[in-house]
Amino acid sequence: MGMQVGNGGGDDEVVSAINTTPLVDVMLVLLIIFLITIPVATHTVKVNLPRDMNQPTQTKMSNVVLAVTADGKAFWDETPLKDQADLLEHLEKVAVVKPQPQIQIRGDMKARYETVGRMVAACQQAGIYHIDFITEKPKTN
């Protein structure tokens, strides 16, 4: 009684099925990596941002100048605005004038973007089509 050699064992059979568990694991990891990196890649697109070496705007009497100070106060020409509703009321009055006046926004460099964004949103809500931002030319040495 010795060891059996040959085909009678059963443990040495060749398995013809492929184990797909490691393949599925790798695919799931790759999917997660792509889902995480794609939004990051789309938000870091390299673009050439505009410089403020633009053509000077022509000031006309019909232009409306909106100003935002560093502390967030808003002005219609030189008149202080109480709130967003006051701004919208002024804008709706000039939006019906033909031709529509040009709105020029002068935002202090230290003003919050939110305040300027609200002004632009109010202009859009009132139906103003032409909005400009007033900047200064950079100092040259």
Side-chain angles (χ1 to χ4, degrees):
M1 313 237 163
M3 296 181 100
Q4 292 182 343
V5 179
N7 294 338
D11 287 337
D12 295 334
E13 293 181 15
V14 177
V15 178
S16 62
I18 297 175
N19 187 0
T20 58
T21 305
L23 178 64
V24 171
D25 290 344
V26 170
M27 294 305 290
L28 286 175
V29 169
L30 288 174
L31 179 65
I32 291 170
I33 290 172
F34 283 126
L35 288 175
I36 292 172
T37 57
I38 286 175
V40 173
T42 58
H43 291 306
T44 57
V45 174
K46 302 287 184 204
V47 295
N48 292 325
L49 297 175
R51 310 259 183 227
D52 36 64
M53 292 293 294
N54 54 7
Q55 298 177 356
T57 57
Q58 297 174 350
T59 305
K60 300 175 187 170
M61 291 303 291
S62 64
N63 290 354
V64 175
V65 178
L66 300 177
V68 179
T69 61
D71 57 354
K73 294 180 184 172
F75 292 84
W76 180 278
D77 289 328
E78 294 181 10
T79 308
L81 294 168
K82 298 174 199 162
D83 54 10
Q84 189 77 8
D86 190 23
L87 171 63
L88 190 57
E89 181 181 325
H90 280 79
L91 289 169
E92 287 173 345
K93 288 179 185 175
V94 298
V96 295
V97 175
K98 301 290 181 191
Q100 207 174 56
Q102 178 180 352
I103 304 294
Q104 298 175 335
I105 298 177
R106 297 179 64 237
D108 189 283
M109 185 167 53
K110 295 181 181 172
R112 289 184 54 143
Y113 177 78
E114 176 184 12
T115 310
V116 177
R118 285 184 185 162
M119 277 191 170
V120 172
C123 290
Q124 291 174 339
Q125 185 177 355
I128 302 291
Y129 299 111
H130 194 107
I131 304 170
D132 286 334
F133 292 94
I134 297 177
T135 59
E136 291 183 359
K137 290 184 179 180
K139 295 179 182 177
T140 57
N141 294 333

